Structure formats: structure tokens, C-alpha cells
Amino acid sequence: MTLPHPLVVGASPLSDDLDGVRRLEDAGAAAIVLRSLFEEQITREQLAEYMNLDFPGESFAEAISYFPSPNAFALGPVQYLDHLRRVKEAVRIPVIASLNGATPGGWIEYARLMAHAGADALELNLYRIATDPDTTSADIERQAIETVRAVKQSVTIPVAVKLSPFYAAFANLARELDRAGADGLVLFNRFYQPDIDPVELAATRALHLSDSSELRLRLHWMAILSGRVRASLAVTGGVHTALDVVKATMTGAHVTQMVSALLRHGAGYLRTVLDDLAVWMEKYEWDSLATMRGNMSLFKVPDPDAYERANYMLMLQGWRA
Ligand SMILES: Cc1cc2nc3c(=O)[nH]c(=O)nc-3n(C[C@H](O)[C@H](O)[C@H](O)COP(=O)(O)O)c2cc1C
């Protein structure tokens, strides 16, 4: 997939209504990722159909009390496909559907349905927290790779894989996903930790928007992976300014996704970032993003592991009161 520039709208409610989607296109978005459809939503619906239940949501919500009821989701599985078709009709820029799940299974059927509904590409979000002490890193990674393979086998459109940073050997997993056919790697999911209310003895959830400080983790891994995988690389998390886009590109990003900044400042802010980017590039005499892409990667560093240790020690020694 060829894009005119790297600014893509990340998976979020920003694309929930057609006016919003048109505003993002008018502001210059290169592509839009729709919010996710979740494995659990699809599995529940498929199970309900199988058991021929009239009101699947209520029955299954009782069975798993902490699982969100179907009406907690903005779009159900069937509505999702309708919405995708309507968004495709509303804009000319590429529309990327998002499938969110981490274990191979029947829900992957939706990849094909999304492609059939007109998705130009898929983003497969593998968000998962491994809590079972009997489950090994190898188990988790094998399932992730199998999931990617299964999705790739069911569609011909490009598939990007959105990942969390919490893997012991992330570079190896990235390479294996690349080998399994991932066309893009999207780094990284944010880790949404609930707080606790010590009086009510309850978990409390509040989604805080990001700021540019979250970019560093992404820059770090972009720099490590750039030049080492065939898949395109996308940053999600902490892209707020033109300078953030420059930094991400220099560490190797082909795409920089934005969500928090656009939720905070509105769709038109995307145009501001694009304009600022052009001004910055002119000032520092860069004629294209392609020429700066990866010029700050660790690919050519002879011993990246030693470089990482050195970086760590220098950081600690560099602190002054
Ligand atoms: C309100 C909201 C809803 C989101 N919904 C999804 C989603 O459905 N699927 C997904 O993969 N990411 C979702 N995200 C995560 C974003 O796509 C993005 O990865 C994250 O916000 C980090 O980017 P940012 O720093 O530009 O906000 C959502 C984020 C927000 C703030």
C-alpha cells in the first residue's frame, strides 16, 4: 500500500461517524484505521448463532459477569461491516479495518468478511496479557504467529500487526511475525492499567490520552527493528507534533498514527502537523521523508546489545541533582 505521507489516523472513535471521517480526509489524513472488532464479540455471536439463542448478549453476559455486554460496544460484528462499507463510500483514502484478538479460531473468518466489505487493509491487534503461570512465552508467541498466518491465509489485502512491547525477546518475535507474512508491524499498544479504589474495593478505569513522552519507547524499538524486517513499520503512541513524526521517521517508521492529539485538538490538527512538518523539513533542508527514514536506526551499530547496555549506564551516570 502506497501512501502520500505517513500521517494515518489510528484505531479509535474518530472514525465512528461519517462526518468525522470526511473531516479527517479533508484535513489530509493518508489513511484511516477504524476502531476494533474484538475476538470475543465475534466468538460470542457465532456461539449464539450456533445455539440458536434469540438474545445472546444477555445470556452470555450472565455467564461471564465481567465481560462487557454487547451494547457496551459501539459496533456489533454485523454493524461493523455495514459501517466499514459506508466509510468506504464516504471517502477516497484507504480505510483499514481492525480485528482485535490473540488466539487462532473461527473469529478469523471476519478478516475475509472485512476484506469483502471493502477494507483496503487489516490491522490485527494482538493485545493480550498472559496471566497464567503455566503459559510460556513460547505458547503466547506461537499463538500470535498462528493467528497472523491464519489471517494472512484468509485475505489478499495487506495485514499489519499491532503489538504490545511486553515480550522477552521482542526483536525475535517481530522477525517471526514478519516471516509469517505480516506486511506491517504497528508499535505499540498502550497498556491500560486500571487503578484501584481502596474504599470501594473496586478496579477503576479511566482512559488518559497520551503525550509525546510515550514516543520514546516506540522510537527505541523502531531503531532496533528498522532494516531488520521486511514489514513496514508504524508507530502508534505519543505522536503529537511534526517533530514526533520526524523522530519516528528517522528511527525507521513508514507510518505515524495519531489518536490522542486528534481527540484533543480535533481533526483539523492533522493539517497543522502536516504544515509544520513541511516547514521543519525545509528549514533543515530535507527534501523527502524517504531520505531521512532510518538514518537513526541501530541497524549499522556493530553490537546493538552492548550499545543498549552503554545507553543504560550513561543514562544512570548522567543524572545531576
Ligand atoms: C478512545 C480510544 C479508543 C481506542 N480504540 C482502539 C481500538 O478499538 N482498537 C485499537 O487497536 N486501538 C484503539 N485505541 C488505541 C489507539 O489506536 C492508539 O494505539 C493509542 O491511543 C496510542 O496512540 P496515541 O498516543 O496517538 O493516542 C484507542 C484509543 C483511544 C484513546
Side-chain angles (χ1 to χ4, degrees):
M1 179 181 276
T2 310
L3 301 176
H5 62 76
L7 280 187
V8 167
V9 181
S12 66
L14 284 158
S15 50
D16 279 357
D17 70 282
L18 297 184
D19 282 344
V21 169
R22 287 192 197 99
R23 276 197 300 276
L24 291 164
E25 180 177 49
D26 290 345
I32 294 176
V33 187
L34 301 187
R35 65 159 63 240
S36 292
L37 182 63
F38 297 88
E39 169 181 349
E40 293 82 350
Q41 285 181 276
I42 302 167
T43 308
R44 179 156 65 184
E45 181 148 307
Q46 288 173 337
L47 206 58
E49 259 172 46
Y50 176 70
M51 295 174 75
N52 206 11
L53 292 174
D54 286 340
F55 300 104
E58 287 168 29
S59 319
F60 285 95
E62 272 166 24
I64 314 173
S65 60
Y66 49 78
F67 192 80
S69 78
N71 8 351
F73 295 92
L75 298 165
V78 175
Q79 290 167 306
Y80 193 98
L81 298 176
D82 283 346
H83 181 63
L84 170 57
R85 276 187 212 101
R86 276 198 283 270
V87 173
K88 272 299 291 173
E89 277 165 23
V91 290
R92 292 162 66 171
I93 52 176
V95 177
I96 300 164
S98 168
L99 205 47
N100 202 313
T103 52
W107 63 280
I108 287 172
E109 153 89 357
Y110 259 76
R112 199 176 49 78
L113 298 179
M114 285 170 164
H116 195 66
D120 295 284
L122 288 184
E123 188 176 85
L124 172 66
N125 190 334
L126 295 173
Y127 186 99
R128 175 174 186 181
I129 309 283
T131 59
D132 181 352
D134 288 332
T135 304
T136 66
S137 298
D139 295 335
I140 300 287
E141 294 181 11
R142 196 185 52 252
Q143 289 185 341
I145 292 161
E146 277 172 24
T147 306
V148 171
R149 274 211 192 98
V151 171
K152 277 295 290 180
Q153 272 162 13
S154 54
V155 294
T156 53
I157 55 175
V159 177
V161 183
K162 185 167 174 177
L163 294 155
S164 307
F166 307 112
Y167 294 92
F170 184 76
N172 176 265
L173 176 65
R175 195 187 58 192
E176 293 308 312
L177 293 171
D178 190 41
R179 286 181 177 161
D183 300 288
L185 300 176
V186 184
L187 315 186
F188 284 117
N189 274 315
R190 295 172 83 206
F191 180 34
Y192 298 106
Q193 303 97 326
D195 202 351
I196 56 170
D197 180 331
V199 177
E200 297 296 328
L201 301 183
T204 56
R205 295 178 191 87
L207 201 167
H208 298 289
L209 299 180
S210 74
D211 58 51
S212 293
S213 67
E214 294 196 21
L215 189 64
R216 292 229 198 146
L217 176 70
R218 282 79 184 169
L219 296 180
H220 202 124
W221 279 101
M222 280 288 136
I224 293 169
L225 292 186
S226 173
R228 288 197 161 82
V229 287
R230 179 201 48 86
S232 299
L233 296 171
V235 166
T236 179
V239 179
H240 285 253
T241 64
L243 207 54
D244 293 338
V245 176
V246 168
K247 289 178 183 177
T249 308
M250 286 191 171
T251 52
H254 301 88
V255 160
T256 46
Q257 296 190 358
M258 293 176 80
V259 171
S260 290
L262 299 177
L263 286 173
R264 199 172 276 140
H265 305 298
Y269 182 68
L270 205 139
R271 173 66 59 199
T272 308
V273 175
L274 276 174
D275 292 346
D276 290 351
L277 182 61
V279 170
W280 192 93
M281 287 174 65
E282 198 174 328
K283 181 170 174 196
Y284 292 97
E285 299 179 1
W286 288 98
D287 54 10
S288 76
L289 289 171
T291 47
M292 72 168 78
R293 182 163 299 120
N295 67 352
M296 295 292 286
S297 108
L298 283 181
F299 186 53
K300 295 198 179 78
V301 171
D303 186 346
D305 269 18
Y307 179 87
E308 290 291 341
R309 285 287 299 171
N311 179 47
Y312 165 65
M313 291 181 284
L314 287 167
M315 281 274 192
L316 298 181
Q317 303 313 311
W319 192 83
R320 297 284 174 268

